Amino acid sequence: MSHFVDGANDRHSRIIIVSFNCADFVNRVIGCLLDQTDPAFEVVIVDNASKDVDGIALPADPRFRMIRMDSNVGFAKANNVGAAGATVPWIVTLNPDAFPRRDWMERLQTAAHAQPDVAMFGSTQLFSHDPRMVDGEGDQYSIFGFAWRVNYRRMLKPPYYSGAVFSPCAAAAMYRRDHYEAVGGFDEDFFCYCEDVDLGFRIRLRGAPAVQVGDAVVEHVSSGVSKQYGTFAQYHGVRNLVWTMVKNMPLPLLPLAFFGHSLLVVYLVFRSLGSGRTGAIGRGIRDALCGLPRMIAKRRAIQRDRKASLWQVARMIAWNPLLLKTRGRPGLRKAHPSDQPPAVGIEKA
Protein backbone atom coordinates (compact mmCIF):
# COMPACT_ATOMS: atom_id res chain seq x y z
CA MET A 1 0.00 0.00 0.00
CA SER A 2 1.30 3.44 -0.89
CA HIS A 3 0.14 6.87 0.26
CA PHE A 4 0.16 10.20 -1.52
CA VAL A 5 1.08 13.23 0.55
CA ASP A 6 0.04 16.74 -0.39
CA GLY A 7 1.11 19.29 2.18
CA ALA A 8 2.54 19.24 5.67
CA ASN A 9 -0.88 18.79 7.30
CA ASP A 10 -1.02 15.23 5.96
CA ARG A 11 2.21 14.18 7.64
CA HIS A 12 1.70 11.91 10.60
CA SER A 13 5.22 11.75 12.02
CA ARG A 14 8.47 13.64 12.46
CA ILE A 15 11.57 11.49 12.02
CA ILE A 16 14.61 12.79 13.91
CA ILE A 17 18.10 11.73 12.90
CA VAL A 18 20.97 12.81 15.16
CA SER A 19 24.27 12.88 13.28
CA PHE A 20 27.84 13.19 14.47
CA ASN A 21 30.70 12.66 12.03
CA CYS A 22 28.77 10.07 10.03
CA ALA A 23 27.77 11.71 6.75
CA ASP A 24 27.97 8.45 4.78
CA PHE A 25 25.54 6.77 7.17
CA VAL A 26 23.16 9.73 7.06
CA ASN A 27 23.14 9.76 3.27
CA ARG A 28 22.27 6.08 3.23
CA VAL A 29 19.42 6.64 5.70
CA ILE A 30 18.10 9.51 3.58
CA GLY A 31 18.02 7.18 0.59
CA CYS A 32 16.04 4.61 2.61
CA LEU A 33 13.53 7.25 3.70
CA LEU A 34 13.03 8.56 0.19
CA ASP A 35 12.11 5.00 -0.80
CA GLN A 36 9.46 4.44 1.90
CA THR A 37 6.07 3.09 0.82
CA ASP A 38 4.44 5.47 3.30
CA PRO A 39 5.95 8.93 2.71
CA ALA A 40 3.67 10.83 5.11
CA PHE A 41 6.45 12.13 7.32
CA GLU A 42 8.86 15.02 7.82
CA VAL A 43 12.54 14.61 8.62
CA VAL A 44 14.72 16.75 10.90
CA ILE A 45 18.44 15.99 10.86
CA VAL A 46 20.13 17.44 13.94
CA ASP A 47 23.87 17.60 13.40
CA ASN A 48 26.06 17.79 16.51
CA ALA A 49 28.81 19.98 15.02
CA SER A 50 30.20 17.26 12.76
CA LYS A 51 33.43 17.79 10.85
CA ASP A 52 31.87 16.14 7.80
CA VAL A 53 28.48 17.90 7.92
CA ASP A 54 29.02 19.37 4.45
CA GLY A 55 29.10 15.82 3.15
CA ILE A 56 25.43 15.28 4.04
CA ALA A 57 23.43 15.41 0.80
CA LEU A 58 20.17 16.98 1.96
CA PRO A 59 17.59 16.26 -0.77
CA ALA A 60 15.59 18.95 -2.53
CA ASP A 61 12.47 17.71 -0.75
CA PRO A 62 10.39 20.00 1.49
CA ARG A 63 9.98 17.18 4.02
CA PHE A 64 13.70 17.30 4.88
CA ARG A 65 15.57 19.95 6.84
CA MET A 66 18.69 20.19 8.97
CA ILE A 67 19.50 21.89 12.26
CA ARG A 68 23.20 22.49 12.93
CA MET A 69 24.29 22.63 16.55
CA ASP A 70 27.33 24.66 17.63
CA SER A 71 28.70 21.76 19.69
CA ASN A 72 28.04 18.10 20.39
CA VAL A 73 25.07 18.30 22.77
CA GLY A 74 24.49 14.53 22.81
CA PHE A 75 21.78 12.24 21.56
CA ALA A 76 19.19 13.14 24.21
CA LYS A 77 19.23 16.91 23.79
CA ALA A 78 19.59 16.73 20.02
CA ASN A 79 16.40 14.67 19.79
CA ASN A 80 14.57 17.17 21.99
CA VAL A 81 15.78 19.97 19.72
CA GLY A 82 14.54 18.03 16.71
CA ALA A 83 11.16 17.36 18.32
CA ALA A 84 10.57 20.98 19.37
CA GLY A 85 7.64 22.62 17.64
CA ALA A 86 6.31 19.41 16.11
CA THR A 87 2.57 19.33 15.42
CA VAL A 88 2.38 15.80 14.00
CA PRO A 89 0.98 12.98 16.18
CA TRP A 90 4.19 10.95 16.28
CA ILE A 91 7.86 11.53 17.13
CA VAL A 92 10.16 8.97 15.50
CA THR A 93 13.82 8.52 16.48
CA LEU A 94 16.11 6.91 13.92
CA ASN A 95 19.83 6.37 14.32
CA PRO A 96 22.01 7.41 11.37
CA ASP A 97 23.32 3.83 11.24
CA ALA A 98 19.85 2.21 11.26
CA PHE A 99 18.65 1.64 7.70
CA PRO A 100 14.89 1.07 7.43
CA ARG A 101 13.36 -1.31 4.93
CA ARG A 102 10.91 0.13 2.40
CA ASP A 103 7.76 -0.68 4.40
CA TRP A 104 9.17 0.29 7.81
CA MET A 105 7.08 3.43 8.33
CA GLU A 106 3.99 1.81 6.86
CA ARG A 107 4.29 -1.10 9.30
CA LEU A 108 4.69 1.23 12.29
CA GLN A 109 1.69 3.31 11.28
CA THR A 110 -0.44 0.24 10.67
CA ALA A 111 0.37 -0.95 14.19
CA ALA A 112 -0.39 2.49 15.63
CA HIS A 113 -3.78 2.68 13.93
CA ALA A 114 -4.67 -0.79 15.21
CA GLN A 115 -3.61 -0.01 18.80
CA PRO A 116 -4.64 3.57 19.62
CA ASP A 117 -3.94 3.17 23.36
CA VAL A 118 -0.26 2.31 22.84
CA ALA A 119 2.19 5.20 23.28
CA MET A 120 5.45 3.63 22.04
CA PHE A 121 6.33 1.30 19.18
CA GLY A 122 9.65 -0.42 18.59
CA SER A 123 11.25 -1.86 15.45
CA THR A 124 13.02 -5.14 14.82
CA GLN A 125 16.74 -4.40 14.58
CA LEU A 126 18.89 -6.74 12.51
CA PHE A 127 22.64 -6.43 12.13
CA SER A 128 23.53 -4.61 8.94
CA HIS A 129 26.54 -6.85 8.28
CA ASP A 130 24.47 -10.02 8.76
CA PRO A 131 20.67 -9.56 8.71
CA ARG A 132 20.22 -13.14 9.90
CA MET A 133 21.36 -11.96 13.35
CA VAL A 134 19.11 -9.91 15.63
CA ASP A 135 20.49 -6.69 17.10
CA GLY A 136 17.45 -6.23 19.30
CA GLU A 137 13.70 -6.76 19.66
CA GLY A 138 12.98 -3.94 22.08
CA ASP A 139 14.46 -3.16 25.50
CA GLN A 140 13.87 -5.06 28.72
CA TYR A 141 14.50 -3.77 32.24
CA SER A 142 15.39 -5.82 35.32
CA ILE A 143 14.50 -5.41 38.98
CA PHE A 144 18.28 -5.16 39.45
CA GLY A 145 18.37 -1.87 37.51
CA PHE A 146 20.00 -3.24 34.35
CA ALA A 147 18.63 -3.07 30.81
CA TRP A 148 19.35 -5.00 27.63
CA ARG A 149 18.23 -5.33 24.02
CA VAL A 150 16.13 -8.47 23.78
CA ASN A 151 17.61 -11.36 21.76
CA TYR A 152 20.79 -9.44 21.01
CA ARG A 153 23.09 -11.41 18.65
CA ARG A 154 20.68 -14.32 18.26
CA MET A 155 20.17 -15.97 14.88
CA LEU A 156 16.41 -15.77 14.30
CA LYS A 157 14.13 -16.07 11.32
CA PRO A 158 10.93 -14.12 10.67
CA PRO A 159 8.27 -13.68 11.76
CA TYR A 160 9.94 -11.57 14.43
CA TYR A 161 8.39 -10.88 17.80
CA SER A 162 5.39 -8.58 18.00
CA GLY A 163 3.86 -7.77 21.35
CA ALA A 164 4.41 -6.13 24.70
CA VAL A 165 7.88 -4.85 25.54
CA PHE A 166 9.24 -2.74 28.38
CA SER A 167 10.32 0.06 26.03
CA PRO A 168 11.45 0.52 22.43
CA CYS A 169 15.08 1.01 21.51
CA ALA A 170 15.46 4.59 20.28
CA ALA A 171 17.64 3.47 17.37
CA ALA A 172 14.30 3.08 15.56
CA ALA A 173 11.31 3.94 17.74
CA MET A 174 8.02 5.80 17.47
CA TYR A 175 6.50 7.77 20.37
CA ARG A 176 3.10 9.39 20.60
CA ARG A 177 4.00 13.09 20.68
CA ASP A 178 1.65 14.07 23.51
CA HIS A 179 3.21 11.43 25.79
CA TYR A 180 6.73 12.41 24.74
CA GLU A 181 6.01 16.04 25.60
CA ALA A 182 4.14 15.22 28.81
CA VAL A 183 7.28 13.67 30.35
CA GLY A 184 9.61 16.32 28.94
CA GLY A 185 11.21 14.14 26.25
CA PHE A 186 14.64 12.64 26.78
CA ASP A 187 16.56 13.55 29.94
CA GLU A 188 19.36 15.77 28.62
CA ASP A 189 21.58 15.02 31.63
CA PHE A 190 22.04 11.53 30.19
CA PHE A 191 23.78 12.82 27.03
CA CYS A 192 23.46 9.36 25.45
CA TYR A 193 23.00 5.67 26.38
CA CYS A 194 20.03 4.39 28.41
CA GLU A 195 18.17 7.62 27.69
CA ASP A 196 15.59 5.58 25.76
CA VAL A 197 15.05 3.15 28.66
CA ASP A 198 14.60 6.12 30.99
CA LEU A 199 12.13 7.78 28.61
CA GLY A 200 10.20 4.55 28.18
CA PHE A 201 10.12 3.98 31.94
CA ARG A 202 8.71 7.46 32.56
CA ILE A 203 6.01 7.02 29.93
CA ARG A 204 5.16 3.58 31.33
CA LEU A 205 4.83 5.07 34.82
CA ARG A 206 2.13 7.34 33.43
CA GLY A 207 0.17 4.26 32.38
CA ALA A 208 0.96 4.03 28.67
CA PRO A 209 2.19 0.70 27.23
CA ALA A 210 4.90 -0.11 24.67
CA VAL A 211 4.67 -2.59 21.81
CA GLN A 212 7.24 -4.18 19.52
CA VAL A 213 6.32 -4.30 15.81
CA GLY A 214 7.99 -7.39 14.42
CA ASP A 215 7.61 -6.59 10.73
CA ALA A 216 8.90 -3.00 11.04
CA VAL A 217 12.54 -3.79 10.28
CA VAL A 218 15.76 -1.78 10.23
CA GLU A 219 19.28 -3.01 9.57
CA HIS A 220 21.56 -1.53 12.21
CA VAL A 221 25.34 -1.13 12.26
CA SER A 222 25.02 -1.00 16.10
CA SER A 223 27.21 1.65 17.74
CA GLY A 224 28.43 2.54 14.29
CA VAL A 225 29.04 6.11 15.46
CA SER A 226 30.00 5.75 19.13
CA LYS A 227 32.25 2.67 19.01
CA GLN A 228 35.12 4.80 17.73
CA TYR A 229 35.26 6.59 21.10
CA GLY A 230 36.68 3.78 23.25
CA THR A 231 35.17 3.44 26.72
CA PHE A 232 32.55 6.12 26.05
CA ALA A 233 29.71 3.57 26.18
CA GLN A 234 30.88 1.95 29.43
CA TYR A 235 31.07 5.28 31.25
CA HIS A 236 27.65 6.57 30.15
CA GLY A 237 25.97 3.19 30.51
CA VAL A 238 27.08 2.70 34.12
CA ARG A 239 26.24 6.27 35.13
CA ASN A 240 22.89 6.44 33.37
CA LEU A 241 21.59 3.09 34.60
CA VAL A 242 22.00 4.31 38.19
CA TRP A 243 20.12 7.49 37.34
CA THR A 244 17.35 5.59 35.55
CA MET A 245 16.80 3.41 38.61
CA VAL A 246 16.90 6.24 41.13
CA LYS A 247 14.47 8.40 39.17
CA ASN A 248 11.90 5.82 38.19
CA MET A 249 11.78 2.79 40.47
CA PRO A 250 8.91 3.20 42.95
CA LEU A 251 9.13 2.41 46.63
CA PRO A 252 9.31 -0.24 48.04
CA LEU A 253 11.01 -1.73 44.97
CA LEU A 254 13.85 0.81 45.00
CA PRO A 255 15.87 -0.61 47.96
CA LEU A 256 15.75 -4.10 46.43
CA ALA A 257 16.79 -2.72 43.05
CA PHE A 258 19.61 -0.64 44.53
CA PHE A 259 21.00 -3.60 46.49
CA GLY A 260 20.95 -5.93 43.49
CA HIS A 261 22.36 -3.25 41.24
CA SER A 262 25.26 -2.59 43.62
CA LEU A 263 26.21 -6.27 43.66
CA LEU A 264 26.17 -6.45 39.88
CA VAL A 265 28.29 -3.32 39.54
CA VAL A 266 30.90 -4.82 41.89
CA TYR A 267 30.88 -7.93 39.71
CA LEU A 268 31.37 -5.78 36.58
CA VAL A 269 34.32 -3.99 38.15
CA PHE A 270 36.10 -7.26 39.00
CA ARG A 271 35.28 -8.68 35.58
CA SER A 272 36.73 -5.61 33.88
CA LEU A 273 40.10 -5.75 35.66
CA GLY A 274 42.89 -5.70 33.12
CA SER A 275 40.54 -4.91 30.23
CA GLY A 276 40.94 -1.13 30.16
CA ARG A 277 37.28 -0.60 31.08
CA THR A 278 37.74 -0.40 34.86
CA GLY A 279 38.53 3.32 34.87
CA ALA A 280 35.47 4.17 32.80
CA ILE A 281 33.23 2.11 35.07
CA GLY A 282 34.73 3.80 38.14
CA ARG A 283 34.17 7.27 36.68
CA GLY A 284 30.62 6.32 35.79
CA ILE A 285 29.91 5.23 39.37
CA ARG A 286 31.54 8.39 40.78
CA ASP A 287 29.57 10.73 38.53
CA ALA A 288 26.35 8.81 39.09
CA LEU A 289 26.69 9.40 42.83
CA CYS A 290 27.61 13.05 42.33
CA GLY A 291 24.48 13.54 40.26
CA LEU A 292 22.11 11.90 42.74
CA PRO A 293 20.75 15.17 44.18
CA ARG A 294 19.57 16.22 40.70
CA MET A 295 18.07 12.80 40.04
CA ILE A 296 16.28 12.71 43.39
CA ALA A 297 14.73 16.09 42.61
CA LYS A 298 13.51 14.70 39.27
CA ARG A 299 12.28 11.58 41.03
CA ARG A 300 9.90 13.58 43.19
CA ALA A 301 8.10 14.96 40.14
CA ILE A 302 8.07 11.60 38.33
CA GLN A 303 6.64 9.69 41.29
CA ARG A 304 4.13 12.44 42.02
CA ASP A 305 2.71 12.10 38.49
CA ARG A 306 2.83 8.29 38.45
CA LYS A 307 -0.41 6.60 37.42
CA ALA A 308 0.79 2.99 37.28
CA SER A 309 0.30 1.09 40.54
CA LEU A 310 3.10 -0.77 42.26
CA TRP A 311 1.64 -4.04 40.94
CA GLN A 312 1.64 -2.73 37.38
CA VAL A 313 5.27 -1.62 37.69
CA ALA A 314 6.25 -5.01 39.11
CA ARG A 315 4.63 -6.73 36.13
CA MET A 316 6.43 -4.61 33.53
CA ILE A 317 9.98 -5.42 34.74
CA ALA A 318 11.94 -8.67 34.62
CA TRP A 319 12.54 -10.62 37.84
CA ASN A 320 14.43 -13.64 36.53
CA PRO A 321 18.18 -13.00 37.05
CA LEU A 322 19.06 -15.48 34.28
CA LEU A 323 17.60 -13.08 31.71
CA LEU A 324 20.51 -10.72 32.39
CA LYS A 325 22.80 -13.30 30.80
CA THR A 326 20.53 -14.65 28.07
CA ARG A 327 19.19 -11.23 27.01
CA GLY A 328 15.77 -12.81 26.76
CA ARG A 329 12.35 -11.49 27.66
CA PRO A 330 10.06 -12.63 30.47
CA GLY A 331 7.68 -15.46 29.60
CA LEU A 332 5.19 -14.36 26.97
CA ARG A 333 1.70 -13.79 28.28
CA LYS A 334 -1.54 -12.28 27.15
CA ALA A 335 -2.35 -8.74 28.16
CA HIS A 336 -3.82 -8.59 31.64
CA PRO A 337 -6.45 -6.01 32.69
CA SER A 338 -4.22 -4.93 35.57
CA ASP A 339 -1.56 -3.83 33.08
CA GLN A 340 -3.71 -0.78 32.34
CA PRO A 341 -4.23 1.88 35.04
CA PRO A 342 -7.77 2.35 36.29
CA ALA A 343 -9.52 5.55 35.32
CA VAL A 344 -9.90 6.70 38.93
CA GLY A 345 -8.61 5.80 42.36
CA ILE A 346 -4.99 5.18 41.39
CA GLU A 347 -3.08 3.58 44.21
CA LYS A 348 0.56 4.52 44.65
CA ALA A 349 3.04 2.72 46.84
Side-chain angles (χ1 to χ4, degrees):
M1 180 175 63
S2 181
H3 306 270
F4 178 73
V5 184
D6 183 16
N9 291 335
D10 294 321
R11 296 174 191 162
H12 48 49
S13 59
R14 174 178 291 186
I15 302 173
I16 305 167
I17 302 169
V18 178
S19 67
F20 181 62
N21 295 329
C22 57
D24 289 343
F25 284 159
V26 175
N27 289 336
R28 182 175 170 185
V29 170
I30 289 172
C32 293
L33 294 177
L34 290 172
D35 197 37
Q36 290 293 300
T37 56
D38 181 352
F41 54 79
E42 58 193 33
V43 179
V44 178
I45 300 170
V46 183
D47 184 79
N48 272 331
S50 299
K51 296 178 181 179
D52 64 354
V53 63
D54 292 332
I56 296 176
L58 199 67
D61 184 320
R63 293 175 299 164
F64 289 75
R65 65 186 177 95
M66 182 186 294
I67 298 174
R68 294 192 182 191
M69 307 302 292
D70 294 329
S71 62
N72 183 3
V73 298
F75 181 83
K77 183 173 181 176
N79 271 295
N80 289 345
V81 170
T87 57
V88 293
W90 295 97
I91 297 295
V92 180
T93 58
L94 182 63
N95 275 15
D97 60 350
F99 312 118
R101 293 184 177 175
R102 292 190 70 240
D103 61 352
W104 170 68
M105 179 54 66
E106 183 175 347
R107 298 294 186 181
L108 287 175
Q109 286 298 323
T110 297
H113 290 147
Q115 301 170 88
D117 295 330
V118 175
M120 300 173 281
F121 292 91
S123 308
T124 297
Q125 296 171 204
L126 306 178
F127 276 101
S128 179
H129 72 277
D130 185 355
R132 298 172 302 171
M133 185 183 295
V134 171
D135 179 54
E137 292 183 301
D139 289 339
Q140 185 57 54
Y141 190 77
S142 167
I143 181 59
F144 304 113
F146 277 74
W148 62 90
R149 289 205 299 273
V150 174
N151 286 333
Y152 177 73
R153 300 191 67 84
R154 287 189 180 177
M155 305 294 285
L156 298 177
K157 295 180 179 179
Y160 301 109
Y161 172 72
S162 292
V165 69
F166 179 80
S167 64
C169 175
M174 188 166 78
Y175 304 89
R176 201 173 291 275
R177 179 176 58 85
D178 53 352
H179 286 274
Y180 183 97
E181 292 177 344
V183 300
F186 289 104
D187 187 332
E188 296 177 7
D189 280 338
F190 279 46
F191 195 82
C192 65
Y193 285 100
C194 304
E195 73 293 306
D196 50 356
V197 176
D198 170 71
L199 174 63
F201 206 158
R202 286 183 282 128
I203 293 175
R204 294 294 303 268
L205 288 176
R206 293 175 65 90
V211 162
Q212 188 72 9
V213 184
D215 55 6
V217 178
V218 301
E219 296 184 6
H220 189 210
V221 176
S222 191
S223 299
V225 177
S226 62
K227 67 182 179 182
Q228 58 187 304
Y229 300 106
T231 56
F232 183 87
Q234 281 79 26
Y235 166 79
H236 285 88
V238 167
R239 185 193 67 177
N240 293 349
L241 279 172
V242 173
W243 287 353
T244 298
M245 176 180 58
V246 169
K247 288 170 56 182
N248 298 301
M249 191 69 79
L251 290 172
L253 298 178
L254 182 59
L256 174 62
F258 204 91
F259 177 74
H261 190 87
S262 300
L263 292 179
L264 284 171
V265 168
V266 170
Y267 166 75
L268 288 177
V269 169
F270 278 101
R271 185 180 173 186
S272 70
L273 293 175
S275 68
R277 300 191 305 270
T278 310
I281 294 173
R283 292 192 300 276
I285 296 169
R286 177 200 65 197
D287 290 350
L289 297 176
C290 290
L292 283 183
R294 296 198 312 280
M295 299 305 125
I296 292 172
K298 294 179 182 183
R299 172 186 173 82
R300 295 191 185 101
I302 292 168
Q303 300 302 321
R304 181 190 63 230
D305 295 336
R306 176 164 63 91
K307 296 180 181 178
S309 69
L310 180 64
W311 171 242
Q312 290 158 356
V313 175
R315 285 176 61 84
M316 70 177 69
I317 60 180
W319 290 78
N320 185 350
L322 294 178
L323 293 176
L324 290 167
K325 182 176 181 179
T326 64
R327 295 180 184 263
R329 67 171 55 85
L332 300 182
R333 55 179 173 79
K334 294 182 179 180
H336 190 279
S338 68
D339 289 340
Q340 301 299 325
V344 295
I346 304 295
E347 178 185 353
K348 294 186 181 179

